[in-house]
Amino acid sequence: TWRRPAAILVGNKIALGQIEVGIAGGVDSASDAPVAFDEALRRLVLRFNRARSSGDRLRALAAFRPAMLRPHVPNVNERRTGLSMGEHTERMVRQWAIGRVAQDELALASHRNGVRAYDEGFYDDLVVPYRGLTRDNNLRADSSMEKLARLAPAFDRASGHGTLTAGNSTPLTDGAAAVLLSSGDWARGAGLDPLAWLVDAESAAVDFFGPDAEGLLMAPTYAVARLLARNGLRLQDFDYYEIHEAFAGQ
């Protein structure tokens, strides 16, 4: 996730002549997320740290209550709505009438394409093995529509209308990526043959909280459409493209 804006920033600096070369990278470590404690405890610690005298420190400590040690399980919920990305996407697929079968079909195709790409060596020079892991461990080579259909909703369990499951949604997981970007002159001087050229990028945002709110995860539809239009292209003009999003419904 974080490598994309980093790559855009480095690429823009190179295009402007501010730098010749840079490394853009990012990492997600969802399995090792820090555990937070009560907000009141945070304020108490800050008050204690700012205290100038022993008396001020004692008064700060006197405000301590055992309940302040209650841990808060980390999550990725949006702060203003209180909803997870999956819960937001459940709203979005209902709005756009995207059914469970269509989501499972896309998820199955994604698993099969991913497995095929590894088997055919597409990722051999792109993925660095780490602690014995040589490929994306989310892929399910034995997945099928029948297996996907048996999975229960993962986010909307109460209404009976939930369509996002563990099979058509991505898990929270760990990963990292990096890319070396440079000008053509720098690459030639270093004896490097470019694997690809960064020619354009686009970003977008939507109002997902106000009275005219759109789906939280709808921004890529605007960004991709603008990017293609600016370059006179269609999705069908590409041999390969990756939709790096969290849910088949999205």
Side-chain angles (χ1 to χ4, degrees):
T1 299
W2 295 109
R3 76 179 186 274
R4 289 177 285 175
I8 294 170
L9 289 172
V10 172
N12 286 346
K13 282 185 170 290
I14 294 170
L16 291 170
Q18 295 175 342
I19 62 175
E20 288 188 294
V21 61
I23 297 175
V27 60
D28 279 322
S29 187
S31 69
D32 193 28
V35 175
F37 289 92
D38 196 89
E39 174 65 15
L41 179 62
R42 186 186 71 85
R43 292 196 298 266
L44 186 150
V45 172
L46 291 175
R47 180 183 170 191
F48 180 87
N49 191 55
R50 289 193 296 262
R52 298 297 182 88
S53 67
S54 298
D56 289 340
R57 295 188 182 92
L58 288 174
R59 280 188 288 274
L61 291 176
F64 172 77
R65 299 292 182 271
M68 293 180 180
L69 294 176
R70 179 183 57 197
H72 292 262
V73 178
N75 61 57
V76 293
N77 291 6
E78 209 290 320
R79 295 297 180 90
R80 287 174 289 179
T81 64
L83 301 177
S84 68
M85 288 195 298
E87 290 167 328
H88 274 281
T89 305
E90 281 285 13
R91 290 182 173 184
M92 194 169 70
V93 296
R94 282 197 294 270
Q95 178 184 356
W96 289 89
I98 300 171
R100 167 74 179 268
V101 173
Q103 295 177 58
D104 286 351
E105 287 175 343
L106 183 60
L108 180 60
S110 181
H111 281 288
R112 288 177 173 173
N113 287 339
V115 171
R116 178 184 170 191
Y118 276 107
D119 290 345
E120 294 182 354
F122 182 84
Y123 287 112
D124 286 354
D125 60 346
L126 296 176
V127 175
V128 178
Y130 182 71
R131 293 189 175 182
L133 187 65
T134 59
R135 63 167 61 186
D136 187 341
N137 61 354
N138 293 329
L139 293 174
R140 297 291 182 267
D142 61 345
S143 187
S144 68
M145 287 296 292
E146 291 73 24
K147 290 181 178 180
L148 290 171
R150 289 196 292 267
L151 296 173
F155 300 98
D156 182 1
R157 300 183 178 94
S159 73
H161 301 292
T163 58
L164 273 68
T165 71
N168 59 36
S169 307
T170 187
L172 291 172
T173 185
D174 299 344
V179 59
L180 174 70
L181 297 114
S182 77
S183 65
D185 289 341
W186 189 93
R188 283 187 288 272
L192 298 176
D193 185 20
L195 299 175
W197 295 89
L198 176 61
V199 297
D200 202 354
E202 182 65 61
S203 59
V206 295
D207 178 8
F208 59 86
F209 187 67
D212 300 319
E214 297 185 74
L216 173 69
L217 304 177
M218 286 294 290
T221 63
Y222 292 99
V224 172
R226 290 202 298 252
L227 182 67
L228 294 175
R230 184 165 63 241
N231 290 276
L233 296 169
R234 304 174 303 157
L235 286 177
Q236 291 76 13
D237 293 322
F238 295 87
D239 292 323
Y240 297 99
Y241 54 87
E242 175 191 11
I243 304 297
H244 178 74
E245 300 301 342
F247 308 99
Q250 184 186 3

